[in-house]
Amino acid sequence: VDDLYHNGDTVSFSPMIAYPDGDTIEYTIEAVSDIMGTPSPDVPFNGYFLIDYSEPYVETVSPGDGDTLPAGTVNIVFNLRDDISGIDSTSPNFTFDSSPVEHGEMSWSPIEGGYQVTYSTDIAAAGFHTFCVMNLADNAEYCGANTMAIFCWSFYVAPTEVDSTPPVVLGTEP
């Protein structure tokens, strides 16, 4: 095989072609022997690895970007996902209105390809508020993790003194 190299007791695979993102590469080592020609009892050996070039991503659940909310307790819910190798849950950093949010301040629930994360906070201050996820990495092996640099979204908390109830039209006359 042109893509297989060995040096001493190490065998490496360096493909001459670029495999597509999400591809599964399966391999079998059928025979191995030492310098004296003694065959290894540990073969055949099968395995596989995944090709993952894609960055992980964030899906906002609630509140959405640009939503308007009343003051009070807000549950900020979002998904951290990677469709191929999954999420490294220790990698991301979080901020809310530029202040750090620690991993332990949030609840984490496993979902397919990652986690759904909830951060609950009381917001009394009216105005725009921003939540950011930084340095989110996946679990890609062999060629290093893929990292999403930063993802932020903002929502608006309405002042409590504003009447947000829409008017009701009781009747019309021609």
Side-chain angles (χ1 to χ4, degrees):
V1 176
D2 292 337
D3 299 345
L4 202 58
Y5 304 92
H6 68 81
N7 183 10
D9 63 354
T10 302
V11 175
S12 62
F13 176 67
S14 298
M16 290 190 242
I17 63 168
Y19 290 103
D21 194 33
D23 215 1
T24 300
I25 309 302
E26 297 178 1
Y27 61 88
T28 300
I29 298 175
E30 295 179 357
V32 175
S33 58
D34 64 17
I35 198 166
M36 299 299 293
T38 308
S40 170
D42 299 324
V43 289
F45 176 80
N46 302 341
Y48 71 94
F49 58 91
L50 302 172
I51 303 298
D52 185 358
Y53 302 124
S54 300
E55 292 180 357
Y57 57 96
V58 177
E59 297 172 326
T60 59
V61 175
S62 69
D65 191 36
D67 284 357
T68 298
L69 310 171
T73 301
V74 175
N75 290 322
I76 300 170
V77 183
F78 54 97
N79 297 331
L80 305 177
R81 300 187 63 131
D82 185 86
D83 297 329
I84 298 173
S85 61
I87 293 296
D88 175 0
S89 63
T90 65
S91 68
N93 297 311
F94 306 95
T95 61
F96 179 62
D97 290 343
S98 300
S99 296
V101 176
E102 300 300 324
H103 288 228
E105 296 179 68
M106 299 179 282
S107 64
W108 295 67
S109 301
I111 60 172
E112 185 176 338
Y115 297 91
Q116 184 166 85
V117 183
T118 302
Y119 175 61
S120 294
T121 186
D122 290 322
I123 303 176
F128 283 97
H129 297 274
T130 302
F131 195 92
C132 293
V133 179
M134 297 155 292
N135 303 318
L136 177 62
D138 63 14
N139 287 320
E141 297 180 300
Y142 309 116
C143 59
N146 301 297
T147 303
M148 179 201 72
I150 188 167
F151 180 87
C152 298
W153 70 102
S154 298
F155 53 93
Y156 183 76
V157 172
T160 55
E161 63 273 0
V162 172
D163 179 5
S164 60
T165 305
V168 177
V169 177
L170 297 175
T172 61
E173 292 184 32

